[in-house]
PDB file of all heavy atoms in Angstrom:
ATOM      1  N   THR A 341       6.018   5.094 -22.859  1.00 98.00           N
ATOM      2  CA  THR A 341       5.435   3.834 -23.319  1.00 98.00           C
ATOM      3  C   THR A 341       5.880   3.475 -24.737  1.00 98.00           C
ATOM      4  O   THR A 341       5.604   2.367 -25.201  1.00 98.00           O
ATOM      5  CB  THR A 341       3.895   3.902 -23.250  1.00 98.00           C
ATOM      6  OG1 THR A 341       3.465   5.231 -23.554  1.00 98.00           O
ATOM      7  CG2 THR A 341       3.407   3.550 -21.861  1.00 98.00           C
ATOM      8  N   ARG A 342       6.566   4.389 -25.410  1.00 97.00           N
ATOM      9  CA  ARG A 342       7.181   4.066 -26.691  1.00 97.00           C
ATOM     10  C   ARG A 342       8.011   2.781 -26.613  1.00 97.00           C
ATOM     11  O   ARG A 342       8.049   2.000 -27.569  1.00 97.00           O
ATOM     12  CB  ARG A 342       8.080   5.226 -27.131  1.00 97.00           C
ATOM     13  CG  ARG A 342       9.084   4.845 -28.198  1.00 97.00           C
ATOM     14  CD  ARG A 342       9.878   6.022 -28.666  1.00 97.00           C
ATOM     15  NE  ARG A 342       9.079   6.799 -29.598  1.00 97.00           N
ATOM     16  CZ  ARG A 342       9.600   7.605 -30.519  1.00 97.00           C
ATOM     17  NH1 ARG A 342      10.913   7.746 -30.620  1.00 97.00           N
ATOM     18  NH2 ARG A 342       8.833   8.281 -31.339  1.00 97.00           N
ATOM     19  N   VAL A 343       8.677   2.552 -25.488  1.00 97.00           N
ATOM     20  CA  VAL A 343       9.511   1.344 -25.350  1.00 97.00           C
ATOM     21  C   VAL A 343       8.745   0.086 -25.738  1.00 97.00           C
ATOM     22  O   VAL A 343       9.323  -0.854 -26.292  1.00 97.00           O
ATOM     23  CB  VAL A 343      10.052   1.136 -23.907  1.00 97.00           C
ATOM     24  CG1 VAL A 343      11.054   2.222 -23.528  1.00 97.00           C
ATOM     25  CG2 VAL A 343       8.953   1.032 -22.856  1.00 97.00           C
ATOM     26  N   ILE A 344       7.457   0.083 -25.426  1.00 98.00           N
ATOM     27  CA  ILE A 344       6.651  -1.120 -25.684  1.00 98.00           C
ATOM     28  C   ILE A 344       6.463  -1.318 -27.187  1.00 98.00           C
ATOM     29  O   ILE A 344       6.544  -2.438 -27.698  1.00 98.00           O
ATOM     30  CB  ILE A 344       5.299  -1.026 -24.939  1.00 98.00           C
ATOM     31  CG1 ILE A 344       5.571  -0.950 -23.427  1.00 98.00           C
ATOM     32  CG2 ILE A 344       4.406  -2.220 -25.270  1.00 98.00           C
ATOM     33  CD1 ILE A 344       4.341  -0.631 -22.590  1.00 98.00           C
ATOM     34  N   GLY A 345       6.245  -0.229 -27.893  1.00 97.00           N
ATOM     35  CA  GLY A 345       6.096  -0.320 -29.349  1.00 97.00           C
ATOM     36  C   GLY A 345       7.358  -0.823 -30.024  1.00 97.00           C
ATOM     37  O   GLY A 345       7.300  -1.662 -30.939  1.00 97.00           O
ATOM     38  N   VAL A 346       8.494  -0.324 -29.578  1.00 97.00           N
ATOM     39  CA  VAL A 346       9.770  -0.760 -30.163  1.00 97.00           C
ATOM     40  C   VAL A 346       9.941  -2.270 -29.960  1.00 97.00           C
ATOM     41  O   VAL A 346      10.298  -3.008 -30.888  1.00 97.00           O
ATOM     42  CB  VAL A 346      10.945   0.007 -29.512  1.00 97.00           C
ATOM     43  CG1 VAL A 346      12.281  -0.509 -30.042  1.00 97.00           C
ATOM     44  CG2 VAL A 346      10.814   1.509 -29.770  1.00 97.00           C
ATOM     45  N   MET A 347       9.637  -2.718 -28.756  1.00 96.00           N
ATOM     46  CA  MET A 347       9.768  -4.133 -28.432  1.00 96.00           C
ATOM     47  C   MET A 347       8.855  -4.996 -29.318  1.00 96.00           C
ATOM     48  O   MET A 347       9.272  -6.025 -29.844  1.00 96.00           O
ATOM     49  CB  MET A 347       9.437  -4.308 -26.945  1.00 96.00           C
ATOM     50  CG  MET A 347       9.495  -5.703 -26.402  1.00 96.00           C
ATOM     51  SD  MET A 347       7.948  -6.594 -26.623  1.00 96.00           S
ATOM     52  CE  MET A 347       6.858  -5.638 -25.583  1.00 96.00           C
ATOM     53  N   VAL A 348       7.625  -4.551 -29.498  1.00 96.00           N
ATOM     54  CA  VAL A 348       6.689  -5.302 -30.342  1.00 96.00           C
ATOM     55  C   VAL A 348       7.213  -5.381 -31.778  1.00 96.00           C
ATOM     56  O   VAL A 348       7.207  -6.444 -32.403  1.00 96.00           O
ATOM     57  CB  VAL A 348       5.287  -4.662 -30.329  1.00 96.00           C
ATOM     58  CG1 VAL A 348       4.373  -5.301 -31.381  1.00 96.00           C
ATOM     59  CG2 VAL A 348       4.654  -4.774 -28.940  1.00 96.00           C
ATOM     60  N   MET A 349       7.679  -4.259 -32.302  1.00 96.00           N
ATOM     61  CA  MET A 349       8.164  -4.213 -33.685  1.00 96.00           C
ATOM     62  C   MET A 349       9.344  -5.151 -33.906  1.00 96.00           C
ATOM     63  O   MET A 349       9.486  -5.746 -34.968  1.00 96.00           O
ATOM     64  CB  MET A 349       8.598  -2.795 -34.036  1.00 96.00           C
ATOM     65  CG  MET A 349       7.432  -1.861 -34.271  1.00 96.00           C
ATOM     66  SD  MET A 349       8.032  -0.256 -34.865  1.00 96.00           S
ATOM     67  CE  MET A 349       6.490   0.434 -35.496  1.00 96.00           C
ATOM     68  N   ILE A 350      10.197  -5.253 -32.899  1.00 95.00           N
ATOM     69  CA  ILE A 350      11.414  -6.039 -33.070  1.00 95.00           C
ATOM     70  C   ILE A 350      11.154  -7.533 -32.929  1.00 95.00           C
ATOM     71  O   ILE A 350      11.597  -8.333 -33.750  1.00 95.00           O
ATOM     72  CB  ILE A 350      12.506  -5.553 -32.097  1.00 95.00           C
ATOM     73  CG1 ILE A 350      13.015  -4.197 -32.601  1.00 95.00           C
ATOM     74  CG2 ILE A 350      13.654  -6.567 -31.979  1.00 95.00           C
ATOM     75  CD1 ILE A 350      14.081  -3.556 -31.760  1.00 95.00           C
ATOM     76  N   HIS A 351      10.397  -7.923 -31.909  1.00 94.00           N
ATOM     77  CA  HIS A 351      10.278  -9.365 -31.644  1.00 94.00           C
ATOM     78  C   HIS A 351       9.093 -10.044 -32.312  1.00 94.00           C
ATOM     79  O   HIS A 351       9.090 -11.265 -32.461  1.00 94.00           O
ATOM     80  CB  HIS A 351      10.187  -9.612 -30.137  1.00 94.00           C
ATOM     81  CG  HIS A 351      11.380  -9.138 -29.371  1.00 94.00           C
ATOM     82  ND1 HIS A 351      12.653  -9.482 -29.739  1.00 94.00           N
ATOM     83  CD2 HIS A 351      11.493  -8.353 -28.272  1.00 94.00           C
ATOM     84  CE1 HIS A 351      13.514  -8.915 -28.888  1.00 94.00           C
ATOM     85  NE2 HIS A 351      12.832  -8.214 -27.998  1.00 94.00           N
ATOM     86  N   GLY A 352       8.074  -9.286 -32.671  1.00 93.00           N
ATOM     87  CA  GLY A 352       6.870  -9.917 -33.213  1.00 93.00           C
ATOM     88  C   GLY A 352       7.147 -10.668 -34.507  1.00 93.00           C
ATOM     89  O   GLY A 352       8.133 -10.398 -35.202  1.00 93.00           O
ATOM     90  N   ASP A 353       6.278 -11.618 -34.833  1.00 92.00           N
ATOM     91  CA  ASP A 353       6.451 -12.361 -36.089  1.00 92.00           C
ATOM     92  C   ASP A 353       5.099 -12.495 -36.790  1.00 92.00           C
ATOM     93  O   ASP A 353       4.117 -11.898 -36.363  1.00 92.00           O
ATOM     94  CB  ASP A 353       7.116 -13.715 -35.819  1.00 92.00           C
ATOM     95  CG  ASP A 353       6.273 -14.622 -34.927  1.00 92.00           C
ATOM     96  OD1 ASP A 353       5.046 -14.395 -34.828  1.00 92.00           O
ATOM     97  OD2 ASP A 353       6.844 -15.552 -34.337  1.00 92.00           O
ATOM     98  N   ASP A 354       5.072 -13.287 -37.858  1.00 92.00           N
ATOM     99  CA  ASP A 354       3.838 -13.363 -38.631  1.00 92.00           C
ATOM    100  C   ASP A 354       2.678 -13.969 -37.858  1.00 92.00           C
ATOM    101  O   ASP A 354       1.522 -13.859 -38.267  1.00 92.00           O
ATOM    102  CB  ASP A 354       4.075 -14.149 -39.924  1.00 92.00           C
ATOM    103  CG  ASP A 354       4.876 -13.329 -40.936  1.00 92.00           C
ATOM    104  OD1 ASP A 354       5.053 -12.115 -40.688  1.00 92.00           O
ATOM    105  OD2 ASP A 354       5.308 -13.893 -41.945  1.00 92.00           O
ATOM    106  N   LYS A 355       2.982 -14.599 -36.744  1.00 88.00           N
ATOM    107  CA  LYS A 355       1.898 -15.139 -35.924  1.00 88.00           C
ATOM    108  C   LYS A 355       1.420 -14.115 -34.899  1.00 88.00           C
ATOM    109  O   LYS A 355       0.452 -14.327 -34.204  1.00 88.00           O
ATOM    110  CB  LYS A 355       2.364 -16.406 -35.216  1.00 88.00           C
ATOM    111  CG  LYS A 355       2.672 -17.542 -36.192  1.00 88.00           C
ATOM    112  CD  LYS A 355       2.930 -18.852 -35.495  1.00 88.00           C
ATOM    113  CE  LYS A 355       4.361 -18.997 -35.021  1.00 88.00           C
ATOM    114  NZ  LYS A 355       5.338 -19.078 -36.135  1.00 88.00           N
ATOM    115  N   GLY A 356       2.154 -13.028 -34.778  1.00 90.00           N
ATOM    116  CA  GLY A 356       1.713 -11.986 -33.849  1.00 90.00           C
ATOM    117  C   GLY A 356       2.767 -11.593 -32.845  1.00 90.00           C
ATOM    118  O   GLY A 356       3.961 -11.554 -33.149  1.00 90.00           O
ATOM    119  N   LEU A 357       2.293 -11.339 -31.639  1.00 91.00           N
ATOM    120  CA  LEU A 357       3.153 -10.830 -30.580  1.00 91.00           C
ATOM    121  C   LEU A 357       4.126 -11.891 -30.064  1.00 91.00           C
ATOM    122  O   LEU A 357       3.746 -13.035 -29.856  1.00 91.00           O
ATOM    123  CB  LEU A 357       2.245 -10.380 -29.431  1.00 91.00           C
ATOM    124  CG  LEU A 357       2.858  -9.649 -28.246  1.00 91.00           C
ATOM    125  CD1 LEU A 357       3.433  -8.317 -28.703  1.00 91.00           C
ATOM    126  CD2 LEU A 357       1.791  -9.423 -27.177  1.00 91.00           C
ATOM    127  N   VAL A 358       5.394 -11.501 -29.880  1.00 92.00           N
ATOM    128  CA  VAL A 358       6.352 -12.345 -29.157  1.00 92.00           C
ATOM    129  C   VAL A 358       6.905 -11.509 -28.006  1.00 92.00           C
ATOM    130  O   VAL A 358       7.494 -10.457 -28.235  1.00 92.00           O
ATOM    131  CB  VAL A 358       7.513 -12.805 -30.060  1.00 92.00           C
ATOM    132  CG1 VAL A 358       8.539 -13.597 -29.235  1.00 92.00           C
ATOM    133  CG2 VAL A 358       6.997 -13.652 -31.216  1.00 92.00           C
ATOM    134  N   LEU A 359       6.701 -11.973 -26.784  1.00 92.00           N
ATOM    135  CA  LEU A 359       7.165 -11.203 -25.625  1.00 92.00           C
ATOM    136  C   LEU A 359       8.385 -11.860 -24.999  1.00 92.00           C
ATOM    137  O   LEU A 359       8.389 -13.065 -24.780  1.00 92.00           O
ATOM    138  CB  LEU A 359       6.077 -11.141 -24.552  1.00 92.00           C
ATOM    139  CG  LEU A 359       4.837 -10.323 -24.836  1.00 92.00           C
ATOM    140  CD1 LEU A 359       3.944 -10.314 -23.605  1.00 92.00           C
ATOM    141  CD2 LEU A 359       5.202  -8.896 -25.209  1.00 92.00           C
ATOM    142  N   PRO A 360       9.416 -11.076 -24.677  1.00 93.00           N
ATOM    143  CA  PRO A 360      10.506 -11.626 -23.864  1.00 93.00           C
ATOM    144  C   PRO A 360       9.932 -12.123 -22.532  1.00 93.00           C
ATOM    145  O   PRO A 360       9.046 -11.474 -21.971  1.00 93.00           O
ATOM    146  CB  PRO A 360      11.430 -10.431 -23.645  1.00 93.00           C
ATOM    147  CG  PRO A 360      11.069  -9.447 -24.703  1.00 93.00           C
ATOM    148  CD  PRO A 360       9.611  -9.667 -24.995  1.00 93.00           C
TER     149      PRO A 360
END
Side-chain angles (χ1 to χ4, degrees):
Chain A
T341 35
R342 162 176 281 204
V343 293
I344 298 171
V346 176
M347 179 273 295
V348 171
M349 285 186 164
I350 287 179
H351 299 309
D353 62 20
D354 286 350
K355 295 189 276 294
L357 187 64
V358 176
L359 291 184

